[in-house]
Structure formats: C-alpha cells, structure tokens
Amino acid sequence: QVQLVESGGGLVQAGGSLRLSCAASGRTFSNAAMGWFRQAPGKEREFVAAISWSGGSTYYTDSVKGRFTISRDNAKNTVYLQMNSLKPEDTAVYYCAARRLDYGLPRSSEYEYDYWGQGTQVTVSS
C-alpha cells in the first residue's frame, strides 16, 4: 500500500521558517515527479512547488518564489519543502503528492498526481 506521510508543520511567527518532510512508502518514487500543494480555509487547494524525479528541475508558484525550496532525497524516498520568510497568507494545510508515471514531468495541476498524503498544518501568526 502506497503511503505519503507529511511532517514538520506547526505554528510559527511571521518571518520564521519551517521544513516540511514527506516520506513515501509502499513503492519507490525515485523515478517520479513529486509536488507540494496547500489548502487554506475556505479556499481551493493550490499548487506550491514541484520537483522532477532527478531533482534537476523545480517549479514554484509565484507567491513562494525566493522563499520556498523543494528538494528530494531519493535514497530516503523523501521530499522536502524548506519554507523561509513565512507570511500569514502561507497558513494552510500542506499536502505532498506524487505522480504514478515514471519519469513524468512535474506538473502544477493536482489532477496530474496520483498519490496524496494526509496533510500537515502550517500556521503563521502575524
């Protein structure tokens, strides 16, 4: 059974940092693109960042460029999201996602992802 388990969320003051982790089990994702999405209260889930299977290509939504960094460790079957200079508008549940297709391109649409974690809450206070 494939599982993605996020961790690292919490409460932080504006300007602070958090590092989210997503550990995969049940199959290897070393050949699959992975991504992070988030959903704020009353809003639809939105794309945050994605990374290619090799880690050589990364993509970000405009609002987090320069502040967030996505990375991966294929030996650990884990993807990370380093979040710096956090703002109150970054408050959301953050979800990790993975594509089933090996060597598929990282995508910003949630419909391109086949596996999802349960989410981890990030709250940024002003």
Side-chain angles (χ1 to χ4, degrees):
Q1 181 180 358
V2 174
Q3 276 193 314
L4 301 178
V5 179
E6 302 97 335
S7 61
L11 173 64
V12 64
Q13 288 189 330
S17 299
L18 284 174
R19 188 194 195 202
L20 305 183
S21 299
C22 172
S25 62
R27 61 157 279 185
T28 179
F29 286 99
S30 59
N31 295 331
M34 299 186 72
W36 286 96
F37 291 75
R38 66 186 179 187
Q39 187 168 21
K43 295 187 177 181
E44 294 186 352
R45 188 158 56 186
E46 65 172 354
F47 169 75
V48 176
I51 188 167
S52 62
W53 67 272
S54 67
S57 297
T58 57
Y59 304 90
Y60 300 92
T61 191
D62 286 345
S63 62
V64 308
K65 284 180 181 177
R67 300 189 298 122
F68 291 11
T69 303
I70 188 171
S71 61
R72 66 190 299 161
D73 184 337
N74 285 341
K76 296 181 178 179
N77 224 19
T78 300
V79 65
Y80 305 96
L81 185 68
Q82 177 67 44
M83 305 186 295
N84 299 329
S85 302
L86 282 161
K87 304 176 181 179
E89 51 262 44
D90 294 318
T91 295
V93 177
Y94 283 70
Y95 297 91
C96 171
R99 298 194 70 190
R100 177 184 293 117
L101 178 66
D102 280 351
Y103 307 114
L105 295 174
R107 300 292 191 186
S108 60
S109 169
E110 62 181 280
Y111 300 106
E112 298 281 356
Y113 292 83
D114 305 286
Y115 305 103
W116 291 85
Q118 82 290 348
T120 185
Q121 177 70 47
V122 171
T123 303
V124 185
S125 63
S126 57

